[in-house]
Amino acid sequence: MKKALIQMHLAVLLWGFTGILGRVITLSAPVLVWYRMGLTALFIGIILSYRKLWQKLERKDVKKVVGIGLLYAIHWVAFYASIKLANASIALVCLSTASVFTAVLDPILNKKKINPLEIGLSLIAILGVYCIYVMYPAEDELKPDKKAMLDFPLGLALGILASVISAIFTVFNKPLAGKYEPRLLVFYEMMIGFIFLTIVAPLYIYQNPAEPLIPFNWDIIWIFCLVYFCTVLGQSLAMTALKDLSTFTVTFSVNLEPVYGIILAFIFFDEQEQLSAGFYIGMGLIALSVLLQVSLLIRNSRKQKVLV
């Protein structure tokens, strides 16, 4: 149990570094995601071949996997664009609303009864985002040595878009996770996303002819760290830990990812100098909605056990 808990938190800490690496890598968001998805598929494909874990997908699940792969690509592009237009802290606090959106979207997409409490929790999270937006500091309020964000409103909007998309593919992935090896699903979804970005690449290059496409110097190392440590190793640690941890522990641990990421952003980039009181008020409201959602999840799971 102790070993599993350490593995889970180490995985979440590695995921927290994705925002930091997304900021230090100089490539644009679409190019960065193209490398991340392609190399992740390559690494996991090698693991699947070495461990002989290949499994054929049922025909009815192929369309779902393709759709999830496309959503993954759009999600990551929106997330990294949010980091580059705003900053890592803004992108991560927006991403922390994903679990609340998942609780709301799950009954809608699966045609179940909607829980009014979960709608209320989503409204609390949205209020938190609104506080971050309306209390954003003006450029003249920042310290002279701190630059304003490139486009804070667009960065915030893309962060929320990434969160909503994350909630959607989480709902669609849930029934597939019980049928297939998790790494197999990740391989197919990463490969689909990589192919999709490759198809749209000519249009992107045409519109951004001066955009660097090849990583140089430290970018090569940072992309490797993002792919291997934050994605492949992080996922492997999480899957190993899942066998011995409760649903509450896993859910609570995963929700710590934005917290770790924001702390790291404060340490490495002094991002707190770009943020106002509205950010902390909004983050507090979002954290409250997430904690209440986790409590609701625990209560519902206990009710189901009693009924059984």
Side-chain angles (χ1 to χ4, degrees), residues 118-131:
E118 291 176 341
I119 298 295
L121 294 179
S122 67
L123 292 176
I124 293 174
I126 292 170
L127 178 61
V129 174
Y130 179 74
C131 288

Side-chain angles (χ1 to χ4, degrees), residues 3 18 21 55 64 75 81 94 122 125 136 146 149 153 157 159 163 183 191 207 234 237 240:
K3 181 181 178 181
T18 58
L21 293 172
Q55 184 181 358
K64 294 179 183 178
H75 159 75
C94 288
S122 67
Y136 169 64
K146 296 299 176 184
M149 303 177 200
S163 177
R183 275 170 289 205
M191 183 57 68
Q207 293 182 336
L237 287 169
T240 303

Side-chain angles (χ1 to χ4, degrees), residues 5 7 71 74 90 98 114 119 124 136 151 155 165 204 217 230-231 240 250 269 274 278 287 306:
L5 195 60
Q7 288 174 326
L71 289 173
I74 299 169
I90 294 294
I114 298 175
I119 298 295
I124 293 174
Y136 169 64
D151 193 335
I165 294 174
Y204 178 78
N217 302 325
C230 298
T231 310
T240 303
V250 172
F269 302 118
Q274 290 182 309
V306 172

